[in-house]
Amino acid sequence: MTHGAGTGSDAADSAAPHHEDTSEYAGRQKRNGFLALLREIALILVISIVLSFVIKTFFFKAFYIPSESMVPTLEENDRIFVNLMVPRNFALERGDVVVFKDTKGWLPPSSEGGQNWFQESLEFIGLLPDTSQQHLIKRLVGLPGDHVVCCDAQQRITVNGVALSEPYVNPAEIPRPVPFDVTVPAGKVWVMGDNRNHSSDSRYHNAQEPGNGFIDLGDVEGQAVVIAWPLNRLGALGNYPSTFSSVPSPK
């Protein structure tokens, strides 16, 4: 009996540590699983941030539209994506909608308050539209060497002697003619807003102002290609090649 009791006690004693080891093992497994999940989430976040930064630095960048100068193509407060490979890797074309830095002082000084560090961080990695510098958005009408004139007898813009039919111009108003006769210098472009009566573009700076209304190719950030927000306006932006298809190369 004594031996039997001793055997039972030994069995119970040996079972208790086994139960404690199992609980400890399960706890370790749970902690390891949670840490693995955190590591996976952190890795996904890092990869997403790096990808976003690379995309906004080399491929596409988000901007917002602050004015009505491009109505009806773009509405105020639209969010767009700009293809940074144009003109970096691909040539600009007449009709492209382009975003460019305001190095000529076309805009008044910004009155917006400073952003907080979180907004600046999101903007830096490309998750918020860029507001770090003042930018403008217009349609490219004249390339280097082009002879651009306003207007012919039917009040149309001509490029290298060919009158343009411009379906992108705001149909709600008849554009007021602003006479000009320019030849675009090398390294420059001539830009105009689609909302002609409400766009302070190359026409209005074609005097004694810096640049005489021309935009440096080096100031062009890229070609606007997509409206991303609001969702009911989601869509691609065209450059209307048929409008410029008959325009000859500059002499």
Side-chain angles (χ1 to χ4, degrees):
M1 291 295 293
T2 304
H3 177 73
T7 302
S9 175
D10 290 343
D13 291 344
S14 64
H18 178 73
H19 176 72
E20 291 172 2
D21 290 344
T22 302
S23 300
E24 186 178 346
Y25 175 77
R28 283 199 305 270
Q29 287 293 95
K30 188 174 181 180
R31 287 193 298 274
N32 290 340
F34 180 69
L35 290 175
L37 177 62
L38 288 180
R39 284 195 296 269
E40 186 172 341
I41 292 173
L43 180 61
I44 291 172
L45 285 175
V46 170
I47 292 174
S48 300
I49 289 171
V50 170
L51 283 175
S52 179
F53 179 77
V54 170
I55 288 171
K56 82 101 179 182
T57 302
F58 298 104
F59 299 103
F60 293 94
K61 196 172 182 179
F63 289 88
Y64 78 98
I65 306 304
S67 73
E68 59 178 352
S69 71
M70 286 296 291
V71 169
T73 304
L74 295 169
E75 301 282 353
E76 191 172 355
N77 295 320
D78 279 354
R79 265 58 174 174
I80 61 171
F81 281 112
V82 170
N83 182 359
L84 302 179
M85 292 183 287
V86 179
R88 183 186 296 167
N89 304 105
F90 301 96
L92 288 166
E93 297 180 3
R94 301 182 191 95
D96 286 346
V97 177
V98 294
V99 170
F100 55 95
K101 301 172 187 174
D102 181 31
T103 61
K104 302 294 189 293
W106 288 13
L107 295 172
S110 176
S111 59
E112 294 183 4
Q115 294 179 311
N116 60 45
W117 67 268
F118 184 67
Q119 291 173 311
E120 290 176 349
S121 299
L122 292 179
E123 187 176 293
F124 178 74
I125 62 176
L127 296 179
L128 278 182
D130 187 5
T131 58
S132 59
Q133 302 179 58
Q134 296 208 89
H135 293 82
L136 298 104
I137 183 165
K138 307 291 179 189
R139 192 175 296 275
L140 193 157
V141 176
L143 289 169
D146 282 344
H147 182 208
V148 189
V149 178
C150 178
C151 297
D152 70 359
Q154 287 75 45
Q155 302 301 310
R156 296 173 298 181
I157 304 293
T158 67
V159 179
N160 299 335
V162 174
L164 303 181
S165 175
E166 301 181 283
Y168 42 78
V169 171
N170 186 4
E173 299 179 1
I174 298 174
R176 295 187 299 271
V178 179
F180 60 85
D181 185 334
V182 300
T183 298
V184 184
K188 312 279 186 179
V189 292
W190 182 266
V191 296
M192 299 172 69
D194 291 355
N195 198 10
R196 294 284 160 84
N197 293 341
H198 305 275
S199 176
S200 179
D201 49 36
S202 289
R203 299 168 296 163
Y204 291 97
H205 299 277
N206 178 33
Q208 302 304 315
E209 295 186 35
N212 298 108
F214 302 109
I215 298 301
D216 296 335
L217 281 172
D219 288 338
V220 177
E221 290 270 11
Q223 176 194 7
V225 290
V226 172
I227 300 174
W229 187 266
L231 293 179
N232 64 344
R233 289 180 46 74
L234 181 68
L237 295 170
N239 64 355
Y240 296 85
S242 60
T243 296
F244 300 91
S245 60
S246 299
V247 175
S249 298
K251 295 179 180 179

